[in-house]
Amino acid sequence: MTRAMSGCEPARKKSRFIRHDGASYMWLGYSVFYFVEPIMRHDGRFWLQCMGVYAIFLALYVAYVEVENDRVRLALLAGMFALGVAMTPVNDGAISFMFYTAAMLPFSRVPVPVVFGLILADSAVLIAMGGVLHHRYMSFSLSAFMMIVVGGGNIMLAQQRRAGMALNAAQEENAALAAVAERERIARDLHDVLGHTLSVIVLKAELAGRLMGIDDARAKAEIDDVERTARTALAEVREAIGGYRTRGLSAEVEQARRTLDAAGVRLLCETQPPTLRPNDETVLSLAVREAVTNIVRHAHATRCTMQFQTTGDGYNLLLVEDDGNNMSGREGNGLRGMRERVQALGGRFRVERDRGTRLVIELPAFQVGEAFQVGEG
């Protein structure tokens, strides 16, 4: 009887240590010791008696392997132990039934101290039986010692398997959370990328329509720009799915100027976009894009002001303000995604609506550069 008997632990859908694939029955091979004495005695009636008891043991073992209720399985182990106690005075090989009990106990849902105590009690019963059967005292004591070794070894093995199961469960949970986070990221980025780009396409298409018959050359230029913008949108969608990276905050501010210019909105930016960590720059670039998209779609503004500042408490601030008449208090998907990105970096986000709309984003630890003026439309 060795630590390998731990494999007799049956598989469970969630809590079992070993997936049940038939290997659990392999450990029945250790019960061969039960048949040593019947073979030596050559007694037919003794054989029948031992086979009847072994049939009961097999029934308990099979039930233990197949059942999933922990209380029932503990009761089955108690039955195996009782069977060993009852049969050992007749057949020393029945000690193997008690070994099975000690080997299986560590894999039950019982606290480790209780399991170890039960194994010690199992061994103590065996030693006591050896004391009653004086001529077997030494062999029973040795068997009791081996029982403690097997049970104690399986306790450590069971703890390792529990730790492994907990680690696997944690890894599966982390993978599931990562998948959810990735889906949310793609949804936010696609909203920001497509929302902004489609707004630009609509504006330029409307402008080209108004220019047709008045300034055909400029109308054609706007249509060509619509085509280029659409191709850029396709590339950005692919980037968003694979892991979105902006073109840079300065490029985004310049694109914002062109977009607002097409919508008849003048952009004033009196400070230079700072040098940022990649994640911070991505968040602010997408914030600029979403803010400009909202201004074009909803604000009916004539002027937009953009500023980069450093606050007194160590945060660096992006402010986007328009003079439009957007009075909606509802936060849509774009603003919600923007808020989530900012808060994920430990930043602060707020939207103020009074005369127009003021968007304020504060992120820690980015540097503000020298002031500059973005050209007017």
Side-chain angles (χ1 to χ4, degrees), residues 199-200 203-204 206-207 210 218 256-266 292-293 295-297 300-303:
S199 296
V200 173
L203 284 172
K204 290 187 172 294
E206 289 177 348
L207 179 59
R210 291 196 300 269
R218 186 178 175 188
R257 183 193 66 77
R258 292 194 296 267
T259 300
L260 291 170
D261 177 59
V265 180
R266 186 177 66 173
V292 169
T293 300
I295 292 171
V296 170
R297 285 181 173 176
H300 308 293
T302 60
R303 186 181 63 187

Side-chain angles (χ1 to χ4, degrees), residues 143-199:
S143 296
F145 174 75
M146 292 301 299
M147 192 180 297
I148 294 173
V149 172
V150 170
N154 279 0
I155 286 175
M156 291 187 291
L157 182 59
Q159 289 297 93
Q160 291 174 355
R161 292 188 179 180
R162 288 189 182 98
M165 291 173 64
L167 178 60
N168 290 337
Q171 290 174 339
E172 291 175 0
E173 183 178 0
N174 289 339
L177 291 175
V180 171
E182 181 66 5
R183 287 195 294 269
E184 291 177 350
R185 179 196 66 78
I186 291 174
R188 289 194 301 264
D189 290 355
L190 286 178
H191 174 275
D192 293 344
V193 169
L194 291 181
H196 172 82
T197 306
L198 292 177
S199 296

Side-chain angles (χ1 to χ4, degrees), residues 35-47:
F35 296 100
V36 172
E37 191 163 343
I39 292 173
M40 298 295 294
R41 289 176 61 167
H42 304 287
D43 186 334
R45 291 184 62 183
F46 186 65
W47 261 103

Side-chain angles (χ1 to χ4, degrees), residues 133-148:
L133 305 171
H134 300 286
H135 63 286
R136 303 178 187 176
Y137 181 76
M138 291 302 298
S139 63
F140 277 30
S141 297
L142 180 60
S143 296
F145 174 75
M146 292 301 299
M147 192 180 297
I148 294 173

Side-chain angles (χ1 to χ4, degrees), residues 9 48 50 121 134 143 163 184 189 239 270 282 311 333 344 350:
E9 170 65 19
L48 290 176
C50 290
H134 300 286
S143 296
E184 291 177 350
D189 290 355
E239 290 175 358
E270 299 175 350
T282 296
T311 64
N333 291 330
R350 68 180 184 272

